[in-house]
Amino acid sequence: MKHEMLCRPSATAVRFALDAGEGLTCEVGAMIAMSSALTVETTSRSRGGGGGMIKGLKRMFSGENFFLNHFTAHQPNQTLLIGPTMMGDCVHHPLRGGTLVVQGSSWLAATDEIEIDTTWQGFSSALFSGESMFWVKCSGVGELFLSSFGAIYPIRVDGEYTVDTGHIVAFEDTLRFQIGKASRSLIGSLLGGEGLVCKFQGQGLLYCQSHNPPSLGQLLGPKLKPA
Amino acid sequence: MIDSNPTFRGGLFHADLPDGRSGASIKLTRTELVAEALCEGQPQFAIPLNECQLDLGGASGKMVFCRNADRSLTIFSEDPSFVAAVAQSAYGTLEAQFRSLRARRRGEANRFRVGVVAATLAFALVCVGVYFGVLAAARTAVRALPIRIDEQIGEMAIQSLVPEPRLDADHPATLLAHEIVQQLQPHAAIPEMNFRVLVVASDEVNAFALPGGQMVVYTGLLKKAESPEQIAGVIAHEMSHATLRHGLQGVSQSLGIVAAVQFLVGDLGGLVSIGSQLAQKSILTSYSRTAETEADLEGARMLHEAGIDPVAMAEFFALLEAEVGDIPDVAAWISTHPQHAQRVEDIRRLLQGLPKKQYRSLDLDLKATQQALQ
């Protein structure tokens, strides 16, 4: 399977070239266009994996969809085009036996070998960081595709690194994250507009996004006319 | 020899690996930790146990990291049996490192919990502070506003809040209520207020005041009263709500609290608009316990000034309370008002502070009015 990122970085779509028998699991609604010899199967479980209803429900809590779409090519040289919901970039993350913890709405697609599960990140992360309590956990060996709001950039953390809430796309499970104050005093943190931030500790890869969906929502929400 | 030892799933970090990281199959010998990378060529890396630096972390907080002296190589795993095997290896020398790591993690977790509890308490305190601050600010601000605003709100509310049928202006009941208002008006805190009274034909024992001096008395209340002084007591109480501007205070406090909630929590959109619509009637016509007590005391002062015995007001409360059990409609007025015994005591205490006065009886024919209402 080959892939190509189109129209980077502000309105990225991913084009896949699949050979007969190859497959891809995508977020519901991600497909833009596809060749005729591709079939789509919608289920609540990962391809070949267990789970079903429970995993589907857990995905819903993480901000993902209950269902997953599996695309399978039945002839060589089939094209599949997918894109994210929000305006922004996509990134390819080759998973080689590790685990990547992905913020719910950033998971876009994965090859069939990757196990997709949900992981609990605690009440405090949901209450204070504006992130969800459950995150999507991807593990195994395969190809993973993530999307972002705005640009996406990887950071190799070794030690400590601080990211503002709402800007996390994904992080390797070797990183630990905690909610903390942006500056030394809580009042200063709040007055500085940064409020609470996510502090990463350890060694591993972290993906961040340049924009933050809740901030856009807070900006637009009050200006919208009630229905 | 290595193969006879158990294998654990994990990973490793090293600069020679593609992307600096790989999944790994980990084995523990008597002297070394050996990791075989799950990438092309399957290179092997080892850390001598005597220079192994341990750390706990990862997304779960339970992942064990083993580093060599210069931190160029890290082998990690989350497998629970790996943690136990490492702790017991090297003749227990790593067990001490584990214990201090776990103690540090527990300390951090406790500090975090204390922080969360403190932040929640501080937020609750700020909310309570803002609530009482807004109430106090609204009271002060309302006093500075012209009476015309009260009158406009009252006029707008008459159509929607005063039920039909209403008695004519020349009906004996309306004339009686109007006469009482005339006698009390010179003694009101704001004598120039445009006091008016409407009588509603309903057996409910009820009376209320709208902002700006419009009062509404139900015929049920007029029929229930035993003397004109008791009616004067109720009307004085309602006039006091108008002169103390409780209606406008309720509106401004509600608006202020909505604004404060929006400031603290963000836009609540639909919830607020539904809430404010539901609250409109109750804001204008029912008041807090504090406001009721204020109206009692101000009403009693007015009655005293007008030469009418304020105890008549207390008597009427007693009369209503005695009958609440029999007639459900009576509950309407008394249910929103403070405890009867407390009210009577408050009124008596106020009278002790005022100069002694000879009270007169009102020259009004209540019996004839009550017959006209039958």
Side-chain angles (χ1 to χ4, degrees):
Chain A
M1 187 175 65
K2 287 178 187 157
H3 75 268
E4 188 188 357
M5 301 276 182
L6 309 172
C7 312
R8 291 188 84 167
S10 58
T12 310
V14 193
R15 181 163 60 198
F16 294 92
L18 293 119
D19 268 333
E22 284 185 332
L24 191 75
T25 304
C26 297
E27 180 188 28
V28 167
M31 195 271 284
I32 300 168
M34 66 179 195
S35 305
S36 53
L38 275 167
T39 53
V40 192
E41 187 194 345
T42 305
T43 66
S44 64
R45 66 178 66 215
S46 312
R47 171 56 63 85
M53 286 285 286
I54 301 293
K55 281 201 176 172
L57 288 171
K58 279 166 78 183
R59 267 200 308 279
M60 279 173 75
F61 279 112
S62 71
E64 264 297 325
N65 206 294
F66 178 78
F67 293 108
L68 296 169
N69 280 344
H70 303 290
F71 293 85
T72 311
H74 296 286
Q75 284 175 24
N77 201 21
Q78 295 297 303
T79 305
L80 171 66
L81 222 83
I82 61 167
T85 316
M86 297 292 270
M87 293 285 286
D89 205 356
C90 296
V91 74
H92 166 225
H93 178 85
L95 208 53
R96 300 289 175 261
T99 299
L100 196 73
V101 182
V102 185
Q103 179 258 327
S105 57
S106 291
W107 181 82
L108 182 64
T111 50
D112 291 345
E113 310 80 47
I114 289 183
E115 173 75 12
I116 300 154
D117 199 357
T118 318
T119 177
W120 166 259
Q121 287 295 313
F123 279 117
S124 54
S125 88
L127 281 176
F128 298 106
S129 73
E131 305 284 356
S132 65
M133 273 185 274
F134 291 94
W135 293 55
V136 179
K137 193 167 96 176
C138 303
S139 49
V141 177
E143 314 306 320
L144 188 62
F145 295 87
L146 309 174
S147 67
S148 64
F149 179 34
I152 191 164
Y153 57 99
I155 296 144
R156 292 205 174 279
V157 179
D158 189 2
E160 275 202 40
Y161 198 81
T162 302
V163 185
D164 194 7
T165 51
H167 287 269
I168 306 163
V169 172
F171 58 94
E172 284 182 331
D173 71 335
T174 46
L175 287 171
R176 181 161 178 254
F177 108 83
Q178 273 193 314
I179 307 299
K181 306 184 290 273
S183 65
R184 197 167 289 174
S185 83
L186 184 63
I187 305 281
S189 297
L190 293 172
L191 294 179
E194 296 302 340
L196 296 165
V197 292
C198 300
K199 291 188 173 175
F200 285 90
Q201 279 178 328
Q203 206 173 351
L205 187 65
L206 165 69
Y207 288 105
C208 296
Q209 58 191 1
S210 59
H211 291 58
N212 152 0
S215 292
L216 180 74
Q218 279 168 12
L219 194 74
L220 290 182
K223 294 185 172 63
L224 297 176
K225 283 184 182 169
Chain B
M1 179 182 163
I2 292 171
D3 289 334
S4 65
N5 292 301
T7 311
F8 310 98
R9 266 189 67 175
L12 60 95
F13 290 109
H14 193 272
D16 290 349
L17 291 166
D19 291 329
R21 171 193 171 141
S22 171
S25 162
I26 306 164
K27 287 172 185 170
L28 194 65
T29 71
R30 286 175 70 85
T31 55
E32 283 184 324
L33 196 58
V34 184
E36 188 180 275
L38 301 176
C39 60
E40 211 178 320
Q42 299 185 322
Q44 277 199 359
F45 299 84
I47 303 174
L49 286 175
N50 59 2
E51 60 174 78
C52 193
Q53 295 295 313
L54 295 178
D55 197 4
L56 276 174
S60 63
K62 291 173 183 161
M63 193 176 270
V64 177
F65 295 82
C66 309
R67 296 194 174 89
N68 61 357
D70 62 359
R71 290 177 60 95
S72 62
L73 173 64
T74 305
I75 298 172
F76 59 87
S77 174
E78 210 170 357
D79 190 333
S81 55
F82 175 74
V83 181
V86 170
Q88 284 162 16
S89 63
Y91 310 103
T93 49
L94 295 177
E95 178 64 27
Q97 275 198 55
F98 262 120
R99 253 184 277 135
S100 84
L101 278 174
R102 288 200 182 106
R104 204 178 73 202
R105 279 274 176 270
R106 270 201 296 276
E108 277 174 15
N110 287 342
R111 274 199 297 280
F112 184 70
R113 269 183 221 125
V114 168
V116 167
V117 170
T120 312
L121 282 176
F123 182 74
L125 273 175
V126 167
C127 288
V128 171
V130 166
Y131 177 76
F132 285 106
V134 166
L135 294 193
R139 287 169 77 92
T140 315
V142 160
R143 278 187 217 120
L145 292 174
I147 295 286
R148 184 76 201 123
I149 292 177
D150 298 52
E151 287 174 358
Q152 279 176 347
I153 293 176
E155 277 162 25
M156 280 193 298
I158 288 179
Q159 284 311 317
S160 57
L161 298 189
V162 181
E164 306 271 359
R166 301 164 194 170
L167 299 189
D168 294 334
D170 56 358
H171 190 282
T174 314
L175 292 174
L176 177 108
H178 185 69
E179 178 55 32
I180 293 173
V181 170
Q182 291 274 307
Q183 293 201 24
L184 287 170
Q185 181 153 6
H187 310 286
I190 309 172
E192 63 276 19
M193 197 177 249
N194 182 18
F195 292 107
R196 290 144 292 151
V197 63
L198 269 173
V199 181
V200 171
S202 162
D203 282 341
E204 209 176 308
V205 180
N206 201 4
F208 63 87
L210 291 171
Q214 175 67 61
M215 276 158 300
V216 180
V217 179
Y218 287 49
T219 49
L221 186 139
L222 298 176
K223 285 187 218 164
K224 187 66 62 187
E226 288 171 344
S227 70
E229 288 78 16
Q230 289 181 353
I231 298 170
V234 171
I235 289 178
H237 172 96
E238 296 303 338
M239 283 169 87
S240 304
H241 277 312
T243 57
L244 292 166
R245 307 178 79 180
H246 286 152
L248 201 59
Q249 269 176 21
V251 171
S252 60
Q253 283 170 354
S254 305
L255 287 175
I257 286 164
V258 168
V261 166
Q262 283 188 339
F263 175 75
L264 281 174
V265 183
D267 185 28
L268 294 177
L271 192 70
V272 169
S273 68
I274 293 168
S276 63
Q277 276 168 17
L278 284 175
Q280 272 174 5
K281 183 174 176 173
S282 64
I283 286 169
L284 286 178
T285 57
S286 69
Y287 309 107
S288 67
R289 280 287 163 95
T290 320
E292 292 298 343
T293 308
E294 278 176 10
D296 275 358
L297 296 181
E298 171 61 12
R301 186 201 61 79
M302 276 168 67
L303 292 165
H304 177 82
E305 296 277 318
I308 304 165
D309 189 357
V311 173
M313 179 158 69
E315 276 174 13
F316 189 67
F317 302 151
L319 182 75
L320 290 188
E321 198 172 63
E323 296 199 22
V324 165
D326 310 335
I327 309 159
D329 281 348
V330 175
W333 196 76
I334 207 164
S335 64
T336 57
H337 289 66
Q339 285 294 309
H340 155 71
Q342 186 62 45
R343 302 181 77 165
V344 175
E345 197 189 313
D346 287 347
I347 292 167
R348 287 196 197 285
R349 197 177 306 132
L350 176 87
L351 292 179
Q352 281 169 9
L354 295 174
K356 287 262 179 289
K357 202 164 186 178
Q358 190 64 47
Y359 296 120
R360 62 191 169 97
S361 56
L362 287 169
D363 185 19
L364 294 167
D365 193 351
L366 180 62
K367 286 275 173 286
T369 307
Q370 284 173 337
Q371 274 166 10
L373 287 172
Q374 292 304 326

